[in-house]
Amino acid sequence: MTGARPWQGICREFRDILPPVPDAAVVTLLEGNTPLVPAPRLAARIAPGLELHLKIEGQNPTGSFKDRGMTVAVSRAVAGGAKAVICASTGNTSASAAAYAARAGLRCAVVIPEGQIALGKLAQAMVHGARVVAVRGNFDRALELVRTLAEDGTAVVVNSINPDRIEGQKTIAWEIADALGRVPDLHALPVGNAGNITAAWKGWTERDRATGGGTPRMMGFQAAGAAPIVHGARVEDPKTIATAIKIGNPASWRGALEARDASGGVIDAVSDDEIVAAYRMLASLEGVFVEPASAAGLAGLLKLGASGGLNGAAVAVATVTGHGLKDPERAVQVSGAFETVDADLDALRRAVLA
Ligand code: F0G
C-alpha cells in the first residue's frame, strides 16, 4: 500500500473521544490498529453459518490489549508531572506499564503474585527496568496493597481502576466496527479484573450515541475456578491455568454486570479443559497463537454454540487479548513431545514421514 497515512497510536488517532493529552506528553509505541482476522474454521465449530472474526490484540507493541489503555494512562501521568507509576498485575499490565514507563523516563514498580506470572511477561517487566516485587499472595491482595500504598500520591496507579486505562481500551469498539463495516451481534472476551469488558461496552455505547449502528451483546467468560461474577461472590483462592484471569475479586465487577445486563449479554464460566481446547483450536485451525486466558472468549462461544445459546447471532467478534509467546511453557506442555534423531538422512526421513 502506498500513500496511506501512517498510524499514530491511540492518543492521537482517537483524540476526539479521549480525555485531553497535550501532544508533547504523548507516550506511544504506535499501539492499536490491530488486525481483525476472519476465522471460518473455528466459526464452523461454533455454529453453522456463523461469521466469526478475531481481534488480535496480541499484536500490540507489548503483546496484549493493555497497551491501548496504558498509552493514555502513562501520557496523562506525564502531563500531570508524575515521576513514577505502579501497578499490581497478573503479568500483562506489568509488561505494558514497564515498557511505557521506560519510554517516558518514569520509574515503574510492578507488584505480582509470587509464582503465578507467565515467563514472557516477567521477562518483559524485568528487561524494561521496572522494580519487580513478588508478594506471597494472590492478585487481589497485590492490588489491595498497591491501592493503599499509592494513597500518598507518590506514584500513579496504572491498573484499570485508573479511568484513563478504560478510556484507551474503549477504542477497540471503533476499530472493530470500522474494519467490519458494521457492529457485530456478539462481542466475546475473557473477563478477569473486568476492566476490558467495561471499557469495550463503554466504547460501544459511546459509538452508538455518536454514529448509530447499535451495540453488540457482550459475552464475557471467566475461568471456572475464578468466576466470582458468575457466582455472585468473591473467590478467596482462585484457581485456573489461565493465570492472566486468575482473579477472585474483580475491581470493575459493577462495570461487567452493567455491560452484561444493558447489552443483553452473558457472563459465564469455562473450565480449564475448555480453555485449553479453544487455545489449541485457535493455533491449529486458524494459525493464531494466543495465551491461554485469551482463548476463554472462544471457549465460551464454543460452549454456548453447542447448547444453542447464541440465539441465531450472525456475526461474532472475539477479542483475543494476549500473544501466545507470553506463556511458552504452557504451549509446550499441552502440545506433547517432539522427536530427536541422529543427524543422518534415513533417521530424519523415518521421523518426518512417521
Ligand atoms: N486476557 C489477558 C491476556 C489479560 O492479561 C487479562 C488481564 C484479561 C484477559 C482480562 O482483562 O482484567 O480487564 O478483565 N490481565 C490483567 C493484568 C489483570 O494484570 O495483566 P480484564
Side-chain angles (χ1 to χ4, degrees):
M1 213 170 22
T2 53
R5 186 178 61 78
W7 181 258
Q8 298 183 67
I10 293 296
C11 287
R12 295 193 171 105
E13 295 289 341
F14 292 99
R15 176 174 288 136
D16 295 349
I17 58 166
L18 292 176
V21 183
D23 203 63
V26 171
V27 182
T28 180
L29 288 160
L30 306 185
E31 59 295 310
N33 197 25
T34 54
L36 187 73
V37 176
R41 295 176 72 194
L42 248 181
R45 300 281 180 108
I46 295 170
L50 180 71
E51 184 184 320
L52 172 68
H53 302 261
L54 306 173
K55 182 66 169 163
I56 304 191
E57 290 290 277
Q59 293 204 36
N60 276 298
T62 76
S64 85
F65 70 95
K66 308 287 181 179
D67 296 343
R68 255 177 219 287
M70 198 59 70
T71 180
V72 180
V74 171
S75 299
R76 302 242 312 150
V78 167
K83 296 282 176 278
V85 296
I86 187 169
C87 65
S89 180
T90 58
N92 281 320
T93 298
S94 55
S96 185
Y100 283 82
R103 198 164 173 82
L106 296 179
R107 285 189 294 123
C108 176
V110 308
V111 181
I112 57 175
E114 183 192 27
Q116 297 170 52
I117 302 293
L119 185 62
K121 306 173 188 179
L122 185 61
Q124 288 178 286
M126 292 174 73
V127 81
H128 289 304
R131 171 69 56 111
V132 177
V133 182
V135 295
R136 296 186 192 94
N138 59 28
F139 168 83
D140 302 293
R141 179 67 183 141
L143 181 56
E144 214 170 78
L145 289 168
V146 162
R147 290 174 96 145
T148 309
L149 185 75
E151 268 167 11
D152 66 3
T154 48
V156 173
V157 177
V158 293
N159 281 101
S160 56
I161 54 172
N162 179 330
D164 295 333
R165 281 275 315 278
I166 302 291
E167 290 297 313
Q169 283 173 213
K170 78 184 180 185
T171 58
I172 198 167
W174 279 264
E175 288 189 19
I176 290 171
D178 286 351
L180 209 53
R182 57 163 283 177
V183 172
D185 301 314
L186 306 177
H187 184 185
L189 70 178
V191 174
N193 214 22
N196 206 28
I197 192 168
T198 301
W201 179 243
K202 186 168 200 286
W204 287 119
T205 50
E206 286 183 11
R207 186 184 174 281
D208 184 42
R209 275 199 296 277
T211 62
T215 55
R217 291 167 60 206
M218 301 302 293
M219 314 295 281
F221 297 95
Q222 302 197 287
I229 301 175
V230 178
H231 302 307
R234 278 174 75 140
V235 176
E236 294 305 329
D237 185 18
K239 288 192 170 54
T240 169
I241 57 115
T243 52
I245 54 172
K246 190 174 171 182
I247 294 175
N249 185 25
S252 297
W253 192 320
R254 265 191 293 145
L257 292 179
E258 160 76 17
R260 179 193 69 188
D261 296 343
S263 75
V266 302
I267 296 182
D268 199 354
V270 284
S271 69
D272 280 4
D273 285 351
E274 288 169 326
I275 291 173
V276 169
Y279 166 78
R280 298 184 68 170
M281 272 188 226
L282 272 163
S284 62
L285 292 178
E286 299 290 359
V288 175
F289 184 25
V290 303
E291 64 169 287
S294 302
L298 270 317
L301 291 183
L302 283 158
K303 177 182 165 183
L304 293 188
S307 65
L310 296 179
N311 296 341
V315 179
V317 169
T319 302
V320 286
T321 46
H323 201 286
L325 290 173
K326 296 272 192 178
D327 193 355
E329 289 164 319
R330 184 62 62 186
V332 171
Q333 189 238 326
V334 305
S335 301
F338 58 88
E339 197 175 342
T340 304
V341 299
D342 289 334
D344 85 47
L345 192 56
D346 281 343
L348 179 62
R349 186 174 285 125
R350 273 196 305 277
V352 168
L353 300 179

